[in-house]
Amino acid sequence: QVQLVESGGGFIQPGGSLGLSCAVSGSIRSINVMAWYRQAPGKDREWVAQITSGGNRNYADSVKGRFTISRDNAKNTVYLQMNSLKPGDTAVYYCNAWVDAYVSRGQRLYWGQGTQVTVSS
């Protein structure tokens, strides 16, 4: 069984920084793309950033230049460093990963449980 566990959310003032992490555990053969999404109250879940196993990164325009996604393949962990945070960044942040697990055929998409980020003065 594969699990994704996020950590690092919290309350932060506008202009501040916060780092999120998401660790993948289980019987894993390989992990391909890892990504972060977020969902604000009353809104649809939106894509924030993604990173391939080779380190190629892409960002939503709303976070480009402020957020940085990275990963540690040895630890099966993806990170999201968020700088210059705005109230509009308030949301539940979710990570996901395309995982090739020993118990399944081919890759499957797994999601974490989410972590709350609140940006407010």
Side-chain angles (χ1 to χ4, degrees):
Q1 186 174 355
V2 175
Q3 289 187 322
L4 277 66
V5 178
E6 296 115 337
S7 60
F11 184 94
I12 190 76
Q13 292 187 337
S17 298
L18 204 59
L20 306 180
S21 63
C22 171
V24 184
S25 63
S27 186
I28 300 165
R29 183 181 289 112
S30 65
I31 302 174
N32 195 350
V33 178
M34 305 180 83
W36 288 95
Y37 283 71
R38 67 186 182 185
Q39 187 167 19
K43 295 188 177 181
D44 293 334
R45 189 173 297 188
E46 65 172 354
W47 170 75
V48 174
Q50 67 183 45
I51 184 169
T52 67
S53 57
N56 291 319
R57 301 171 171 87
N58 290 100
Y59 299 93
D61 288 343
S62 59
V63 306
K64 201 172 294 183
R66 300 188 298 120
F67 290 11
T68 301
I69 189 170
S70 61
R71 63 190 283 172
D72 185 331
N73 290 330
K75 295 182 178 179
N76 292 333
T77 300
V78 62
Y79 305 94
L80 186 68
Q81 179 63 38
M82 304 182 292
N83 299 328
S84 302
L85 282 160
K86 306 173 183 179
D89 295 317
T90 295
V92 177
Y93 283 72
Y94 299 89
C95 64
N96 73 20
W98 284 96
V99 180
D100 185 4
Y102 287 105
V103 297
S104 63
R105 294 182 179 179
Q107 297 184 40
R108 286 185 54 191
L109 183 64
Y110 295 86
W111 287 86
Q113 81 287 353
T115 185
Q116 177 70 45
V117 173
T118 301
V119 185
S120 176
S121 55

